Amino acid sequence: MIEQRSLGRNGPKVSAIGLGTRTMLADRNIRSDQSLLTIETITAAVDAGINFLNTADFYGMGLNEMQIGEAIRGNRNKVFLSVKTGMRRSPSGAFLGMDCSPASIKNFCNYSLTRLGVDEIDLYQPARVDPAVPLEDTVGAIADLIKEGKVKYLGMSEVSAEQLKRANKIHPVSALEIEYSLATRFIEKEILPAARELGVTIMPYSVFYYGLLTGTVNGKLSKDDYRSSLPRFNSENLPSNLQKVDILKKLASEKGYSASQVALAWLLNQGDDIIPIVGMGKPGRIAENLEAASIAFTKEEINLLEKTFEVGAMQGERYPESLSNFVPS
């Protein structure tokens, strides 16, 4: 069975790897076989010891929560549910902006409870800070939900160190979901130290940086590939970034693992307060990712990875300038 880690300083024990469900359901045009595959994957992950399920009420405009609810029916006590909220989307999936006002947060929570078929959400967090709503008001609304017994623990997502400290003053924060990987290490300067000072667990997402760290990207992406809009994948930056990934691939091959397994193992190696959220669209991916938890590194191997992927080593920004408002300063 996979290692268990504490969520927050005095929180519950959960699996050291969480199951990310964002890509399981993308829109309303789902086929029965897709639906069954989602349920099968969630069930297999829970059976394998991954009890941490991460979702959002806007994934598939609520369909993702419905599928999770079906998958865990009768096994609620075996899983820890993490839900993000606050993003509004149109029926077509278009992003319509944030709404983290207290009234909306409480309304969104009630809908999530219904779709999931549960009485309480384990970890509830605003997906981003809403610039139109004081952070204290948003956090205060979740604190109210905790008092009402609808939520157990407060989480935050993509906040700065200063915002994390402000939130923690209103109610203890158990976990912070934020981008962190070999390719994206900006949190190490201020955010990670602040989280550790407060006893807040880090839940990294995009642990393979949109597939770059899997070693499967070999050249220029097609215009239809959404990653072609990301600066690190453009023709100017990608060649340099692939050279670094080649070093990762070589090390992984020498150890008898895949590049993605080594990238995930590096994250797990950063501390017991790190619980990566990993997307696994098929049951077959589960064993591969669980195997990463057993990978050990020599000091020389860690030094090689640290030097190759040092802060600022990747060419290009994480996101285009048009999306800069979605990431913490």
Side-chain angles (χ1 to χ4, degrees):
M1 294 292 286
I2 187 173
E3 171 195 356
Q4 300 277 301
R5 294 184 172 181
S6 294
L7 191 81
R9 184 165 287 158
N10 300 305
K13 292 284 188 179
V14 298
S15 53
I17 296 175
L19 175 64
T21 62
R22 181 181 63 83
T23 59
M24 287 183 172
L25 289 177
D27 55 46
R28 295 182 180 274
N29 300 314
I30 58 171
R31 303 189 308 270
S32 60
D33 57 339
Q34 291 176 306
S35 177
L36 290 173
L37 180 60
T38 295
I39 295 172
E40 180 184 355
T41 302
I42 293 172
T43 301
V46 174
D47 289 344
I50 297 178
N51 67 350
F52 193 157
L53 306 184
N54 183 266
T55 186
D57 57 21
F58 48 86
Y59 289 173
M61 286 71 78
L63 286 172
N64 193 266
E65 289 181 318
M66 293 170 64
Q67 289 299 303
I68 291 174
E70 185 172 347
I72 67 172
R73 187 174 296 129
N75 291 303
R76 173 65 180 97
N77 63 332
K78 293 184 178 181
V79 298
F80 185 95
L81 293 173
S82 171
V83 178
K84 291 184 294 298
T85 191
M87 283 191 177
R88 298 183 297 113
R89 299 179 70 177
S90 71
S92 66
F95 177 68
L96 299 177
M98 299 293 302
D99 186 355
C100 289
S101 63
S104 292
I105 288 291
K106 294 179 180 182
N107 186 48
F108 294 151
C109 180
N110 287 328
Y111 280 121
S112 288
L113 291 169
T114 299
R115 287 190 291 257
L116 290 164
V118 301
D119 297 322
E120 190 173 37
I121 294 170
D122 296 304
L123 182 71
Y124 202 53
Q125 57 203 51
R128 295 290 189 277
V129 173
D130 186 341
V133 179
L135 177 63
E136 289 75 10
D137 290 354
T138 300
V139 174
I142 299 177
D144 287 344
L145 291 169
I146 292 173
K147 293 176 183 177
E148 294 169 13
K150 295 180 178 180
V151 171
K152 284 186 180 179
Y153 303 99
L154 167 67
M156 299 300 293
S157 179
E158 286 287 357
V159 296
S160 67
E162 183 268 336
Q163 291 167 336
L164 181 62
K165 292 176 181 178
R166 282 170 54 196
N168 196 71
K169 288 181 179 179
I170 305 301
H171 190 279
V173 179
S174 294
L176 167 61
E177 183 172 342
I178 196 163
E179 189 172 352
Y180 186 31
S181 69
L182 274 172
T184 308
R185 299 176 60 185
F186 70 95
I187 75 167
E188 293 178 351
K189 182 178 180 180
E190 295 181 353
I191 298 175
L192 182 57
R196 286 180 165 160
E197 178 184 344
L198 299 172
V200 175
T201 292
I202 296 292
M203 305 187 307
Y205 72 85
S206 192
V207 298
F208 307 128
Y209 192 72
Y210 303 101
L212 183 63
L213 297 177
T214 66
T216 58
V217 178
N218 298 313
K220 185 178 179 180
L221 302 176
S222 69
K223 292 183 179 179
D224 295 333
D225 192 318
Y226 73 93
R227 294 174 296 181
S228 63
S229 65
L230 300 177
R232 292 180 179 178
F233 286 92
N234 66 29
S235 58
E236 180 181 347
N237 297 320
L238 186 58
S240 174
N241 292 334
L242 288 180
Q243 289 179 0
K244 298 174 181 63
V245 174
D246 283 341
I247 296 174
L248 171 65
K249 290 166 63 176
K250 182 176 184 294
L251 173 60
S253 178
E254 291 172 349
K255 293 178 72 64
Y257 296 101
S258 67
S260 58
Q261 285 177 308
V262 169
L264 177 55
W266 177 85
L267 259 183
L268 290 166
N269 192 67
Q270 296 311 296
D272 292 340
D273 56 353
I274 306 291
I275 301 177
I277 304 300
V278 185
M280 306 179 212
K282 299 178 180 179
R285 293 291 310 282
I286 296 169
E288 177 186 353
N289 287 305
L290 288 180
E291 189 177 16
S294 65
I295 297 177
F297 295 104
T298 65
K299 183 177 180 180
E300 290 72 23
E301 290 169 341
I302 287 293
N303 288 340
L304 175 62
L305 291 173
E306 294 285 340
K307 181 179 180 181
T308 302
F309 294 96
E310 62 185 354
V311 178
M314 302 302 290
Q315 297 295 306
E317 298 297 325
R318 283 196 292 157
Y319 299 110
E321 187 175 350
S322 60
L323 295 179
S324 61
N325 59 314
F326 293 122
V327 297
S329 56

